[in-house]
Amino acid sequence: MRVKEIMTRRVQTVAHNENAEAAWNLMRWKRIHHLVVIGEGGDVVGVVSARDLGGRDRDEIRRMRPISAMMTAYAVKATPDMPVRQAANVMRGWNIGCLPVIEPDGKLAGIVTVSDLLRLLAEQVPPPARGKQTTHVVKTMKVLKTKTPKKARRARA
């Protein structure tokens, strides 16, 4: 299977000189975790994640900085014909959550995220039988109850 078969084609992008707060608001509105950063010539120059922007507690910093100061400079990419397994290994090896997918001519074709890989995995694995899943949860709970230390049991009483 190739990256082009699982990638998200409608990529949300942001200009490199855009305010970081605007990017944060776009991510929240679209419910996404990554934006591809585009330079002045229309080339991909980086990726910015919700983690790069500091989460909910960094409002003041985002207001004062452009995306270019908070993004991860573009270094790792995928091609549409790259095997999915290779893309997953690249993401795991670099500890990143997405790969921009770039056509041979340099144009942005899409993005592959951890969510895309998890969706693929979920489609490949058959769901568990209903009765077995319930039994497993009950057994796990019983094991946890029987392994509670005596001191903890006395404290709860």
Side-chain angles (χ1 to χ4, degrees):
M1 182 170 280
R2 304 290 173 187
V3 166
K4 64 185 171 188
E5 298 173 52
I6 69 159
M7 70 182 184
T8 302
R9 294 180 190 280
R10 295 180 66 142
V11 183
Q12 294 296 315
T13 62
V14 63
H16 75 285
N17 56 359
E18 184 71 52
N19 184 299
E21 184 68 18
W24 174 254
N25 290 333
L26 178 61
M27 284 185 200
R28 289 181 59 209
W29 181 56
K30 294 286 187 171
R31 294 184 176 164
I32 57 176
H33 300 283
H34 302 92
L35 294 172
V36 175
V37 182
I38 304 296
E40 289 185 23
D43 296 334
V44 175
V45 295
V47 174
V48 66
S49 70
R51 188 182 315 163
D52 293 334
L53 296 177
R56 295 180 182 159
D57 301 331
R58 305 289 298 258
D59 288 339
E60 192 170 320
I61 291 172
R62 283 192 297 267
R63 282 188 209 113
M64 298 183 302
R65 293 187 178 175
I67 286 295
S68 59
M70 300 183 85
M71 72 180 192
T72 301
Y74 173 66
V76 185
K77 64 180 179 180
T79 61
D81 291 323
M82 178 184 277
V84 170
R85 183 180 197 142
Q86 182 181 359
N89 283 328
V90 167
M91 291 170 69
R92 189 171 58 103
W94 283 84
N95 195 25
I96 55 177
C98 73
L99 285 173
V101 182
I102 309 297
E103 294 283 357
D105 63 1
K107 290 187 179 181
L108 180 63
I111 190 170
V112 175
T113 65
V114 170
S115 295
D116 295 324
L117 297 173
L118 289 173
R119 185 183 66 241
L120 176 64
L121 180 63
E123 291 169 357
Q124 301 287 322
V125 177
R130 286 185 176 210
K132 290 181 181 179
Q133 183 180 11
T134 305
T135 304
H136 176 70
V137 170
V138 171
K139 285 181 181 177
T140 303
M141 290 174 68
K142 286 180 182 175
V143 169
L144 290 175
K145 285 182 181 178
T146 59
K147 294 201 177 208
T148 304
K150 289 181 182 179
K151 288 182 182 179
R153 276 190 248 150
R154 281 189 216 133
R156 279 191 272 160

